[in-house]
Amino acid sequence: MISKLDLVDLAGSEGVRHTGSKGKALVEGNKINHGLLNLRNVISILSTNSKDYIPYRTSTLTTVLKGIILK
């Protein structure tokens, strides 16, 4: 079986200096980008059928993904 999943991250794709984000908005943007980066890493490892360690616990997003995959 072959599948293809395209994810597009439009939120936070621009630099901080262009948005002028400060305070809570800046922290929130950083957390979103961190979660998406961890998601990319997990999906990359899963797609290679590698026996490497899968870092599910690096973010809430990937922890939820683990629960979905292992059901």
Side-chain angles (χ1 to χ4, degrees), residues 12-36:
S13 61
E14 61 282 338
V16 173
R17 68 173 182 253
H18 291 105
T19 63
S21 295
K22 295 178 182 166
K24 288 183 181 180
L26 180 60
V27 172
E28 183 178 327
N30 284 337
K31 287 184 179 183
I32 290 169
N33 287 336
H34 178 74
L36 291 171

Side-chain angles (χ1 to χ4, degrees), residues 53-69:
Y53 170 74
I54 302 171
Y56 286 118
R57 294 172 59 182
T58 54
S59 74
T60 303
L61 183 62
T62 54
T63 302
V64 170
L65 176 67
K66 179 181 180 182
I68 294 169
I69 290 175

